[in-house]
Amino acid sequence: MYAIIRSGGHQYRAEVGAFLDVEKLPHNVNDSIEISDVLLVGDGETTVIGQPFVEGAKVKATVVEQFRGEKIIVFHYRQRTNYRKTNGHRQYYTRLRIDAIQK
């Protein structure tokens, strides 16, 4: 069984036992959370598509880790004007372990 969930403006495919790296959520490590923004639930035979969400469907997950991603270099350049600017960015992430999917 799998589900498509929405978190932080992105959509993720969640399966039981899988780990997902989503944008930072305001929860502590080892907290159990419930995600109700379920867009689609499917198993081998049937697929339920929400409009926009599947009624009564929830995904239960546990926060495993709060961490930061790799550094991304942002470089701005304009030719013939001697304009160069370099910035760096590291995004905050939350790692979730999917525990259960309820239809």
Side-chain angles (χ1 to χ4, degrees), residues 21-87:
D21 294 339
V22 300
E23 289 185 14
K24 184 170 171 47
L25 298 174
H27 299 286
N28 296 323
V29 176
N30 294 328
D31 282 355
S32 290
I33 63 172
E34 202 170 83
I35 301 169
S36 59
D37 291 352
V38 179
L39 304 172
L40 181 142
V41 176
D43 53 9
E45 298 95 29
T46 61
T47 302
V48 179
I49 300 172
Q51 298 191 8
F53 303 117
V54 177
E55 296 259 343
K58 294 181 182 176
V59 174
K60 293 186 178 184
T62 303
V63 176
V64 176
E65 180 183 8
Q66 300 277 4
F67 67 101
R68 293 178 77 183
E70 292 185 13
K71 188 167 193 171
I72 297 171
I73 303 299
V74 181
F75 185 72
H76 298 278
Y77 172 78
R78 293 201 179 135
Q79 63 182 359
R80 296 187 297 274
T81 59
N82 198 23
Y83 176 80
R84 293 171 183 85
K85 185 168 143 184
T86 304
N87 285 330

